[in-house]
Amino acid sequence: MRYFCTAFIILSLPLPFTACKKQFTGLSFHANEIFWVTNNGADMPVRVMGNTSSKVIILIIHGGPGDGSFDYEDARTERLREKYAVAFWDQRNSGASAGNNNLRTLSLSQMINDLEVVVKVLKVRYDGADIFLCAHSYGGLLSAGYLVKDSNQGTVKGWIDIDGAHDYPLTNALSRKMLIDTAQSEIFKNHYVLEWQLILDYCASHDPLSSYKVSSQVETYAHQAEYYMGIQQNYSLSLAEDPFDGLANYYNLNYSSAGIDFLESLESLSYSDQLYKIETPTLLLWGQFDFVVPPAVGENAMANLGSSYKKMALCPHSGHHPMETDTDLVEDEIISFIENFK
Amino acid sequence: MKTVLLFLCLFCYLIASAQDSTSRRPVLLSAVATYDFAKSYGASFEISAPFHSIANQNHHESSSVRTHKDQFISLELGMNRRPFAYTTAYFNMGVGLRFNRCAKHFNEVSFEQGIQRTFYDGKVYQEQPDGSIKERTLFGRTYASSGLSCAQNWSISNRSGNAWFIQLRPSIWIQYPYNSFVKPHFSLQAGLTYHLRDVSVHTRTKYKHQS
C-alpha cells in the first residue's frame, strides 16, 4: 500500500509544474500567455504571444465562423510577434472556446458584444495598449459590425481586413461572377476543363442569393477553384488546436438547428451602407485569386469606407488565405501600417 | 436428426450450475497516468470492488481450469491538464466485468459515469453590469461524462499472491453539455494495479465437463 501511494504521488507531481507560463507576469519581449473572457455563457481563450513590451497588440479575428484563431499562430505571424504582441482570440463556439448550453446565444450581435469585451479586457490587462484589429474572412463581417457600432472604433488604432466579407450578399454575387468569368477563360485555355465546366454549369444555373444551400455549394467550388488556378493550399490543422473541439463546433454549426439558423442569418447581412461611419485607418489585404471573397468586395469597401487613410494591397500568389501564401508581403504591409498609426 | 444432435451435445459437453455460494474475490486499487488525445495528460486513482462473481469450472480429460468473471463497481478520482487551456478534476463511478482466465493476467470492460470540473489557465475576466472588468477566481465549468474502457492487467509479482499488476487501459468517453453538444475524447491510461484484499462475494459456479 505504501508503494501504491508513492506511485500515485509520483504520477501527480508533474501536474502543478505545467502551468508555469500561464499567469500574466507583466510585459515581455517574448510573451506566451493565456487568459479567458467569459461572456453570456461562453468562455473564450485569448492567447497572447510576442512582444507585449511594444504596447501594440494585433487582435486576430478569425474566420469561419467556427474556425479557431490558432490557425494563424505559426510562421504566418512570426515577424509580427517579434515587433508586436499578437492576441489569438477564439470566438464563441469556435476553436477552444467552451461553455455548457450556449448555442442559443450564437448570433452576430452577441459576437460583436464578445469582441467589445475582449478589447476592453486587453486595454485593462495591457494598460491601455494600442490595439489593431486583424480580421480575416468572416472576421471581416464581425469586425465591420464592431466598428460601426456606437463609439467602438475609438478603442482601436486601426483595422486590418484580410479578404473580409463585410457584405455577404455582395460576396455571394461576386463569387459567382468571378467563378463564371474564370471558368470561361480557363476552359478556353484548356485548363482543368471538366472541373471548370462543372463549376460553370452549376454557377450559371444557380443563384447563391436564392438559398443557403446554393451559397454553400458555390463557396465549396470557390475553394476548389483556387486549386485549379495553382494556388498553394495548406489546410493542415494547427497543432495547438484540439481536433475534438473542432468536431463539436463543426457539428454544432452545420447540423444543429441553432447553428444552421445562425449561418443562414448571415447570408443577408451587409455593412456596405454603414462603412462610411468607419474613420479608423484601414488596410485591406486581398488574395488576387480569392474566389470565396473576391477582390471586388475589397474594392467595394475601399469605395465606401469613411477612413481618411485606406489602402488596398493585392497579394499576387494568393487565394483566400494570403497570410499563408504571401506571408512576407502581408507582414510587410501590416508592419508598415502599424508603424504609421500606433 | 434431433436425437443425433442431442446425443452429440451430451456426449461432448455437460454444464451444471450450482446455487449461489460465496468465494473470495479481490478488491483492486489502481494509480494510472492518463494521456487524453490530443493535448491533455494527468493521473487518476481508482478503487474497484466486486459484488458478484461467476465461476466457470472447466473439466477436461486431463485437467481442470477455474476462471472467474467478476462484476464490480469502481470509483475513480483524477485530474487532467491541458496546457494553455485548463485543468480538469473529475470523479467517476463505474460498473464493469473483470475476466480472470489465468493467475498472471486479467482484463476488464467497464462503463463509467461521472462529473468533471474544469479550471481555466490564466486569469478569467468578466464584464460587470456597470461596464467594468472583473477577474473571476477559480472559474470553470462543470460537465457530465460517460465512457467505456477496456483494461488489460499483467502481473509483475513473483510471489504467488500476485499483488501488483501493470495496467493499460484505452477508453472512449464524452463530455457534455459542451457548447450545447458533446465533446468526444479518447484516452490512454497506464499504471499500476494493486491487489488490496479479498472480499467475500456471491458466486455462481458453472461446471463444464468436456471430453
Side-chain angles (χ1 to χ4, degrees):
Chain A
M1 187 61 190
R2 184 158 48 94
Y3 297 118
F4 184 82
C5 291
T6 307
F8 183 68
I9 290 166
I10 290 171
L11 287 170
S12 307
L13 271 179
L15 293 174
F17 297 102
T18 59
C20 54
K21 288 183 178 176
K22 68 177 183 177
Q23 293 293 343
F24 178 57
T25 52
L27 304 178
S28 158
F29 290 104
H30 302 288
N32 187 8
E33 56 210 29
I34 189 166
F35 64 87
W36 292 72
V37 175
T38 180
N39 190 38
N40 198 13
D43 309 330
M44 299 164 284
V46 182
R47 190 164 174 175
V48 178
M49 301 173 80
N51 185 356
T52 49
S53 298
S54 66
K55 298 288 284 286
V56 173
I57 297 175
I58 302 169
L59 174 58
I60 301 286
I61 304 170
H62 65 75
D67 296 348
S69 63
F70 290 155
D71 281 344
Y72 305 79
E73 181 186 327
D74 54 18
R76 293 154 220 175
T77 52
E78 196 171 11
R79 281 170 56 216
L80 299 180
R81 282 180 277 141
E82 283 172 15
K83 290 184 76 70
Y84 318 111
V86 182
F88 301 93
W89 163 50
D90 282 348
Q91 298 152 19
R92 64 175 54 226
N93 298 90
S94 305
S97 282
N100 293 126
N101 291 303
N102 56 13
L103 197 58
R104 62 188 162 72
T105 62
L106 187 62
S107 67
L108 183 66
S109 57
Q110 179 58 61
M111 292 169 98
I112 290 170
N113 177 247
D114 293 339
L115 178 53
E116 288 171 329
V117 180
V118 169
V119 169
K120 199 179 278 188
V121 170
L122 283 170
K123 288 276 189 190
V124 169
R125 183 179 165 94
Y126 295 99
D127 193 22
D130 292 342
I131 294 172
F132 289 82
L133 301 183
C134 181
H136 174 241
S137 192
Y138 163 76
L141 182 79
L142 174 53
S143 53
Y146 169 83
L147 290 168
V148 301
K149 184 182 171 190
D150 303 331
S151 57
N152 282 342
Q153 60 182 303
T155 62
V156 299
K157 288 281 184 178
W159 181 31
I160 301 156
D161 188 17
I162 306 175
D163 298 70
H166 66 271
D167 184 330
Y168 264 47
L170 180 71
T171 299
N172 285 331
L174 292 174
S175 177
R176 179 196 189 202
K177 181 177 184 305
M178 188 174 175
L179 283 170
I180 289 173
D181 292 347
T182 311
Q184 287 169 341
S185 65
E186 290 299 300
I187 289 167
F188 183 73
K189 289 185 221 168
N190 220 19
H191 286 168
Y192 288 101
V193 173
L194 289 176
E195 291 82 357
W196 279 114
Q197 189 62 54
L198 185 69
I199 293 173
L200 180 61
D201 291 345
Y202 187 86
C203 290
S205 57
H206 293 82
D207 182 358
L209 302 177
S210 63
S211 74
Y212 171 67
K213 190 180 169 188
V214 175
S215 161
S216 295
Q217 184 57 53
V218 170
E219 186 181 338
T220 302
Y221 283 137
H223 284 291
Q224 290 173 3
E226 285 189 19
Y227 173 75
Y228 304 142
M229 295 302 289
I231 301 299
Q232 175 196 348
Q233 297 188 326
N234 179 13
Y235 293 131
S236 61
L237 190 68
S238 166
L239 291 176
E241 196 171 3
D242 184 342
F244 292 122
D245 283 332
L247 195 65
N249 293 330
Y250 181 81
Y251 176 87
N252 266 340
L253 271 176
N254 293 284
Y255 295 100
S256 72
S257 59
I260 293 169
D261 287 348
F262 169 65
L263 291 179
E264 288 182 346
S265 74
L266 300 179
E267 292 298 309
S268 58
L269 288 177
S270 165
Y271 287 106
S272 285
D273 59 351
Q274 295 187 64
L275 288 183
Y276 73 90
K277 296 179 186 171
I278 300 176
E279 295 173 353
T280 305
T282 302
L283 172 65
L284 302 168
L285 297 168
W286 237 271
Q288 193 168 338
F289 298 100
D290 185 357
F291 292 85
V292 181
V293 186
V297 177
E299 288 159 12
N300 171 273
M302 280 293 283
N304 291 301
L305 276 165
S307 313
S308 56
Y309 179 92
K310 48 187 175 183
K311 176 185 176 183
M312 181 170 174
L314 279 180
C315 304
H317 310 105
S318 298
H320 192 52
H321 300 87
M323 55 282 186
E324 288 180 6
T325 40
D326 275 304
T327 308
D328 287 342
L329 174 62
V330 167
E331 288 188 317
D332 284 342
E333 290 287 348
I334 291 176
I335 289 168
S336 168
F337 178 70
I338 291 176
E339 289 302 310
N340 274 340
F341 295 102
K342 69 179 181 181
Chain B
M1 187 62 188
K2 286 180 183 173
T3 313
V4 174
L5 284 174
L6 182 62
F7 172 77
L8 283 173
C9 289
L10 288 172
F11 180 76
C12 298
Y13 214 68
L14 181 64
I15 299 175
S17 294
Q19 292 298 315
D20 281 5
S21 57
T22 60
S23 64
R24 305 282 291 173
R25 304 300 305 148
V27 172
L28 299 175
L29 281 177
S30 298
V32 293
T34 305
Y35 186 76
D36 184 35
F37 290 88
K39 292 270 175 183
S40 304
Y41 52 89
S44 71
F45 176 80
E46 183 186 71
I47 182 167
S48 65
F51 61 89
H52 188 247
S53 182
I54 298 169
N56 285 305
Q57 188 82 42
N58 291 308
H59 292 287
H60 295 272
E61 280 180 346
S62 56
S63 63
S64 175
V65 178
R66 187 176 175 86
T67 60
H68 280 273
K69 186 164 71 177
D70 297 337
Q71 295 167 337
F72 66 88
I73 54 169
S74 64
L75 300 175
E76 183 185 18
L77 195 63
M79 198 163 75
N80 273 355
R81 238 196 85 59
R82 183 176 164 196
F84 282 105
Y86 46 78
T87 300
T88 305
Y90 60 90
F91 173 73
N92 288 332
M93 295 174 69
V95 59
L97 289 172
R98 179 177 301 128
F99 302 92
N100 297 269
R101 291 199 171 86
C102 68
K104 293 289 184 185
H105 172 253
F106 64 89
N107 51 29
E108 301 166 336
V109 289
S110 59
F111 169 79
E112 290 96 25
Q113 177 70 46
I115 189 165
Q116 59 176 253
R117 175 80 182 174
T118 59
F119 301 96
Y120 295 123
D121 273 14
K123 293 181 177 177
V124 180
Y125 299 93
Q126 186 174 36
E127 187 183 39
Q128 301 302 296
D130 64 359
S132 64
I133 298 295
K134 185 185 171 189
E135 281 179 33
R136 300 286 305 268
T137 50
L138 288 176
F139 188 82
R141 295 274 170 188
T142 304
Y143 300 95
S145 64
S146 305
L148 290 168
S149 65
C150 175
Q152 301 287 327
N153 292 265
W154 294 273
S155 171
I156 51 172
S157 298
N158 291 324
R159 290 173 297 178
S160 58
N162 286 328
W164 290 92
F165 296 82
I166 285 180
Q167 185 183 87
L168 192 64
R169 183 164 67 171
S171 61
I172 51 171
W173 54 282
I174 53 173
Q175 167 190 353
Y176 56 93
Y178 180 83
N179 284 341
S180 301
F181 189 53
V182 297
K183 179 177 175 180
H185 291 260
F186 174 67
S187 300
L188 196 58
Q189 294 181 308
L192 293 173
T193 299
Y194 178 70
H195 179 156
L196 186 63
R197 53 174 293 208
D198 286 331
V199 291
S200 295
V201 295
H202 286 287
T203 301
R204 170 165 294 201
T205 306
K206 291 179 179 175
Y207 297 96
K208 296 179 182 177
H209 290 273
Q210 207 164 11
S211 55

